[in-house]
Amino acid sequence: MNDLAARLIKLRNGQPRRAFAEQMGTTESTLRNYEKGVSSPTAEFLRNVCHNLRISSDWLLMGENGLEGSAATVSPPEALNAIQGCSIQETGKDCDVDLIMVPMVEARLSAGHGSLEVSGESDRSYAFRSDFLLRKGNPKNMVLMRVDGDSMQPEIMDGDAVLLDQSKTDIRLGKIFAVGFEDAIYLKRIDRVPGKVILKSTNPAYPPLEIDVQGQEQDLFRVIGQVLWIGREY
């Protein structure tokens, strides 16, 4: 059972599952799957819970001590669909918080020796606060990808999820980017010297990789997007 499932059980508070499900616009069997963590709640269901129970979307998605921008897995009706938030009881005032669905793409980033880029289609998304995403850029340009490898440890661990802005492709020193070279995708910091880019890892076991962007390697290198956020499951 995940944390979101536990909070749904807490909200039901002993009420018969069928009655609670009908109130939230779903079926008893679907709610049972949500509470057992078998499937992820839809965006519409989360919206109904917030609206009907007058609770904070922050609490529902992240818990009382959730960090800004943290996400909860949901199955979206459409990727990048904003859904309405809810009033926060403890403040005594309306605080309409929109949530935006960001798709998790199928391709896996390589933070080690590289992995092949596969389909960019998404079968699931994560919900983020719209104000968080809008401070970072245009949410329509953002996707989530999983890290595969240990070259950025301990800063970024194998299995972490990273939020990428695919419109941010201008190299900025000190920032982390997803880059493609030949048929592999890497997660690296980038330095530039005349005629070359240097891909740098955090893990000292991985030496810098120099790429000649004025020679034959020019067409093999591309900047996919800048990393905006890192999420980790335990």
Side-chain angles (χ1 to χ4, degrees):
M1 180 189 302
N2 56 42
D3 291 342
L4 177 56
R7 285 192 285 277
L8 290 175
I9 293 174
K10 181 177 180 180
L11 290 171
R12 187 160 60 86
N13 194 29
Q15 183 180 358
R17 185 179 282 126
R18 175 173 295 182
F20 186 82
E22 290 178 353
Q23 182 184 0
M24 301 306 156
T26 191
T27 64
E28 181 180 4
S29 60
T30 298
L31 178 60
R32 181 185 298 109
N33 289 337
Y34 292 166
E35 292 183 347
K36 291 184 176 181
V38 175
S39 60
S40 300
T42 65
E44 181 181 3
F45 174 81
L46 295 176
R47 180 187 59 195
N48 288 343
V49 171
C50 284
H51 176 75
N52 293 336
L53 300 182
R54 305 288 291 175
I55 63 166
S56 166
S57 57
D58 283 350
W59 180 86
L60 180 60
L61 293 173
M62 297 176 283
E64 293 178 349
N65 297 317
L67 297 176
E68 178 186 39
S70 296
T73 305
V74 299
S75 302
E78 292 180 351
L80 299 172
N81 233 8
I83 63 175
Q84 188 64 32
C86 55
S87 301
I88 299 177
Q89 284 183 314
E90 57 267 28
T91 64
K93 61 182 180 181
D94 287 341
C95 181
D96 289 333
V97 178
D98 287 339
L99 303 177
I100 293 178
M101 312 309 298
V102 179
M104 174 73 77
V105 297
E106 292 295 328
R108 290 176 64 87
L109 290 177
S110 173
H113 294 290
S115 60
L116 294 179
E117 181 179 10
V118 293
S119 171
E121 296 179 359
S122 173
D123 62 356
R124 62 194 175 106
S125 292
Y126 284 60
F128 283 80
R129 287 179 55 121
S130 62
D131 55 350
F132 170 77
L133 295 181
L134 291 170
R135 285 202 305 271
K136 299 292 186 180
N138 187 342
K140 292 183 178 180
N141 298 321
M142 298 177 188
V143 295
L144 287 156
M145 300 177 77
R146 288 283 178 192
V147 176
D148 185 16
D150 63 355
S151 75
M152 298 302 287
Q153 292 184 9
E155 186 174 15
I156 303 175
M157 307 296 288
D158 180 50
D160 284 353
V162 294
L163 176 67
L164 298 176
D165 187 330
Q166 298 178 99
S167 70
K168 297 182 183 294
T169 57
D170 292 335
I171 296 174
R172 299 175 60 192
L173 297 181
K175 301 297 183 180
I176 301 175
F177 290 85
V179 299
F181 181 59
E182 295 182 331
D183 292 326
I185 302 175
Y186 298 91
L187 196 65
K188 304 291 182 185
R189 286 190 168 86
I190 309 176
D191 279 347
R192 299 194 73 134
V193 296
K196 294 182 179 181
V197 295
I198 304 173
L199 307 182
K200 294 185 174 181
S201 304
T202 302
N203 187 339
Y206 292 83
L209 174 64
E210 292 191 3
I211 298 175
D212 183 359
V213 293
Q214 291 186 342
Q216 295 181 345
E217 297 175 330
Q218 179 178 3
D219 294 334
L220 303 178
F221 174 76
R222 64 197 182 282
V223 179
I224 298 171
Q226 182 180 328
V227 173
L228 304 178
W229 172 91
I230 303 166
R232 183 168 302 159
E233 298 181 2
Y234 293 92

